[in-house]
Amino acid sequence: ISVPSCDGSNVLQLANKIIRDNNPLVEVGPIQMPAESGFENLQRFCRGVVMNPAGGQIIVNYSVSWHDKSKGVIYVEILN
């Protein structure tokens, strides 16, 4: 099984949760236009856009890798 894609439902769900949990005072929309920006050492690097309340776009860089491949558990990290 390869590393899940940047636009995988589990990846986006986890990335959006991390953003919400770490920015409780800022309402931003979910990640849009997710795309792969690189792949290195079994880690997929991704980029997407979230909208802030004023309608501005914020670029979000995140990565996804296996935490426990045998159990299907992924690790998502927000890089910016």
Side-chain angles (χ1 to χ4, degrees), residues 2-67:
S2 65
V3 176
S5 66
C6 295
D7 62 353
S9 61
N10 290 347
V11 172
L12 289 174
Q13 182 179 18
L14 192 50
N16 286 317
K17 180 178 178 359
I18 293 166
I19 292 169
R20 280 192 314 273
D21 289 354
N22 288 296
N23 299 285
L25 301 177
V26 179
E27 284 289 325
V28 295
I31 294 173
Q32 300 174 24
M33 299 182 294
E36 184 173 322
S37 58
F39 188 87
E40 185 177 319
N41 297 328
L42 299 177
Q43 186 174 24
R44 196 174 304 279
F45 295 94
C46 310
R47 166 181 240 141
V49 174
V50 295
M51 302 298 283
N52 68 21
Q57 294 183 345
I58 302 168
I59 294 174
V60 176
N61 294 292
Y62 57 102
S63 67
V64 60
S65 57
W66 286 114
H67 177 69

